């Protein structure tokens, strides 16, 4: 490994796949099977050239049994949703900006581009702003994510606006997605996981 690669674990060393336990191997296989192609297609990395997991996934190897359930929840929250790809990425980037979670912002900026958000919109979201070129519904989703993440509440006016835009089920979908990415951002920031250069 190089010095740059070593640093990708943040406060944790990157785990060598040759040293995996059975549960770690199961987590590694799930991540590489379900997430790596999507990452590569969008233009970001979740493994090093020598096959070590980076981002939140390296830290997840500490408790693979829990991490597998978190991945299952994440996958379900994103596949069983009323939110569009663009709305999901607006929510995720809004959460990542509140947390200033570098790896999350790196990965989801690429996925937001793939979902059709402009470079200007992505930059604004990463910096905690809501861009003008979002749809009205995307702006509402972003505001809900920002308010709930930063202040742990949504005011009555925004709630009514969001209820009209998304309905109760859509609001649940937003809250579940926020919950997933609060967990991801907490892991990333606790272990000071950087984005690749």
């Amino acid at each position: 490994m190089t010095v740059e690669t070593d640093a990708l674990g943040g406060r944790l060393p990157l785990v060598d796949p040759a040293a995996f336990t059975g549960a770690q191997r199961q987590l590694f296989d799930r991540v590489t099977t379900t997430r790596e192609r999507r990452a590569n297609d969008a233009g970001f990395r979740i493994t090093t050239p020598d096959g070590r997991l980076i981002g939140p996934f390296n830290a997840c190897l500490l408790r693979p049994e829990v991490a597998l359930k978190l991945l299952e929840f994440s996958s379900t929250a994103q596949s069983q949703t009323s939110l569009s790809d663009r709305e999901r990425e607006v929510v995720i980037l809004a959460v990542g900006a509140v947390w200033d979670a570098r790896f999350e912002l790196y990965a989801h900026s690429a996925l937001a581009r793939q979902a059709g958000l402009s470079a200007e919109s992505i930059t604004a979201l990463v910096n905690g702003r809501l861009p003008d070129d979002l749809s009205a519904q995307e702006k509402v989703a972003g505001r809900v994510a920002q308010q709930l993440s930063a202040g742990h509440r949504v005011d009555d006016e925004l709630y009514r606006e969001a209820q009209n835009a998304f309905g109760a089920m859509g609001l649940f979908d937003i809250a579940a997605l926020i919950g997933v990415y609060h967990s991801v951002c907490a892991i990333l920031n606790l272990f000071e996981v950087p984005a690749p250069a």
Side-chain angles (χ1 to χ4, degrees), residues 20-35 53 56-77 180 183-184 187:
F20 283 167
T21 65
Q24 287 174 325
R25 172 59 61 191
Q26 184 182 1
L27 175 64
F28 177 85
D29 291 346
R30 175 83 55 87
V31 168
T32 56
T33 300
T34 64
R35 308 285 170 120
L53 293 174
F57 305 113
N58 181 61
C60 286
L61 291 166
L62 293 168
R63 188 65 75 189
E65 301 84 358
V66 174
L68 282 163
K69 297 298 183 187
L70 181 60
L71 282 177
E72 185 179 330
F73 177 44
S74 174
S75 294
T76 303
V180 168
S183 294
V184 171
I187 291 165

Side-chain angles (χ1 to χ4, degrees), residues 169-191:
M169 187 180 296
L171 288 177
F172 181 90
D173 292 342
I174 290 171
L177 189 61
I178 290 169
V180 168
Y181 282 92
H182 276 225
S183 294
V184 171
C185 290
I187 291 165
L188 291 169
N189 284 2
L190 176 62
F191 296 111

Side-chain angles (χ1 to χ4, degrees), residues 70 73 77-78 83 87-88 90-96 98-99 104 140-150 152-154 170-186:
L70 181 60
F73 177 44
Q78 293 192 51
L83 304 176
E87 290 162 349
R88 281 198 328 270
V90 167
V91 168
I92 294 166
L93 287 176
V95 171
V98 169
W99 282 81
E104 191 264 4
V140 170
R143 287 173 49 218
V144 168
Q146 288 172 335
Q147 249 188 52
L148 201 53
S149 296
H152 314 294
R153 297 280 186 278
V154 171
L171 288 177
F172 181 90
D173 292 342
I174 290 171
L177 189 61
I178 290 169
V180 168
Y181 282 92
H182 276 225
S183 294
V184 171
C185 290

Side-chain angles (χ1 to χ4, degrees), residues 65-148:
E65 301 84 358
V66 174
L68 282 163
K69 297 298 183 187
L70 181 60
L71 282 177
E72 185 179 330
F73 177 44
S74 174
S75 294
T76 303
Q78 293 192 51
S79 66
Q80 302 297 313
T81 186
S82 59
L83 304 176
S84 71
D85 289 348
R86 285 175 56 102
E87 290 162 349
R88 281 198 328 270
E89 293 306 325
V90 167
V91 168
I92 294 166
L93 287 176
V95 171
V98 169
W99 282 81
D100 191 27
R102 301 283 70 187
F103 189 93
E104 191 264 4
L105 293 169
Y106 152 77
H108 283 277
S109 290
L111 289 166
R113 268 191 308 279
Q114 193 176 53
L117 292 173
S118 69
E120 295 79 16
S121 287
I122 293 167
T123 298
L125 287 162
V126 165
N127 289 303
R129 298 187 316 273
L130 288 175
D132 291 333
D133 67 344
L134 295 181
S135 72
Q137 195 150 313
E138 290 164 353
K139 286 179 186 174
V140 170
R143 287 173 49 218
V144 168
Q146 288 172 335
Q147 249 188 52
L148 201 53

